[in-house]
Amino acid sequence: MDLLKGKKALIVGIANDHSIAWGIAQALKQAGAELAFSYAGESLERRVRPLAEQLGVSFVQQCDVSDDAQIATLFEKLGAEFGSFDILVHSVAYAKREDLSGRFIDSSRDGWRLAMDISAFSLVALTKAALPLLNPNANILTLSYYGAEKVVANYNVMGVAKAALEASVRYLAADLGPDGLRVNAISAGPIRTLSASGIGNFRRLHKAFTNANPMRRAITIEDVGNTALWLCSDLASGVTGEVVYVDGGFNVLGMSEESQA
Ligand SMILES: NC(=O)c1ccc[n+]([C@@H]2O[C@H](COP(=O)([O-])OP(=O)(O)OC[C@H]3O[C@@H](n4cnc5c(N)ncnc54)[C@H](O)[C@@H]3O)[C@@H](O)[C@H]2O)c1
């Protein structure tokens, strides 16, 4: 498969080999793309570097997406060492642990601001900073979750941030569409990752999801990677501003037999 032969992608958000961004990186690489990675902070470097080596990635740069100076440095270095590119994957989210359990009404102003900044605004900031380096027909992809549209226990402030993220996808798609750029999101079912472990009772949510979704199985980072590949390839050339579900069909359910038991 060489759907992305000759294409270059920047993947933002690998923390370890459970990360959704890692599943996406593998799928894009298998399809022939050349990759560059950026990761959040020093403590992750020892996990990210070996993964980069595994896929033959030589550009690996630290970048805290809440810091404009670090974003500017990332793209300065990327321009010099990697050159112009075709795909930007934004697979980043953060909220304080205390804001991911209990009642939504107890969210703090500070926690709200932090979650919004890192989980939603960073897509806009990265996209704007990437523009001078993006090739014609480039693709931008981010990751969302069902908690953006429906209430999911404990997801709280992150649900609000994901709603803002999904709206940002639509506004960015409208801004950049005339220049041939596409912007989309994947709304993934729950997957056991580092970030997910911060959500209150995540194991229970994961189990309930697995039992209830029409496919009766867990969603994997490979499932998400394959859909990311489709969205970032010419096979999806007419698709922009969309939120595509990779959730085994969970979002189509109203009332199942099980929930009536
Ligand atoms: N795991 C799930 O169940 C699930 C479901 C749907 C959507 N998502 C979304 O997928 C994306 C990736 O999450 P994941 O589940 O792979 O977890 P993960 O922990 O592997 O990835 C989250 C990444 O965000 C990075 N990050 C956090 N703050 C940052 C900052 N200030 N600057 C730069 N990077 C920062 C972390 O370092 C990490 O690499 C997130 O947007 C998440 O909300 C996850």
Side-chain angles (χ1 to χ4, degrees), residues 1 3-4 7 9 24 27-28 31 86-90 137-144 169 173 180-188 223-246:
M1 241 198 344
L3 275 175
L4 297 182
K7 302 283 186 193
I24 295 174
L28 301 194
D86 307 279
I87 298 165
L88 169 63
V89 175
H90 170 274
N137 302 322
N139 274 287
I140 295 144
L141 179 70
T142 188
L143 275 302
S144 191
V169 164
L181 277 70
R182 297 190 289 113
V183 187
N184 290 291
I186 290 175
S187 182
D223 292 323
V224 181
N226 288 334
T227 297
L229 167 59
W230 164 65
L231 278 170
C232 295
S233 77
D234 289 343
L235 290 180
S237 54
V239 181
T240 194
E242 294 294 341
V243 179
V244 176
Y245 295 101
V246 180

Side-chain angles (χ1 to χ4, degrees), residues 12-16 18-22 38-41 44 48 63-67 90-94 118-119 122 142-146 155 158 162 165 186-197 199 202 205-206 221:
V12 180
I14 296 178
N16 56 40
H18 298 287
S19 293
I20 292 175
W22 174 240
S38 94
Y39 60 95
L44 292 176
V48 176
C63 176
D64 179 333
V65 299
S66 65
D67 181 339
H90 170 274
S91 187
V92 168
Y94 183 77
I118 297 178
S119 315
S122 66
T142 188
L143 275 302
S144 191
Y145 176 60
Y146 191 56
Y155 204 58
M158 189 55 78
K162 291 298 191 194
L165 180 74
I186 290 175
S187 182
I191 300 176
R192 288 195 180 115
T193 63
L194 193 62
S195 296
S197 67
I199 301 165
F202 182 77
L205 169 77
H206 187 270
I221 62 172

Side-chain angles (χ1 to χ4, degrees), residues 215-227:
M215 299 186 75
R216 303 288 196 277
R217 70 164 175 86
I219 293 301
T220 66
I221 62 172
E222 288 76 23
D223 292 323
V224 181
N226 288 334
T227 297

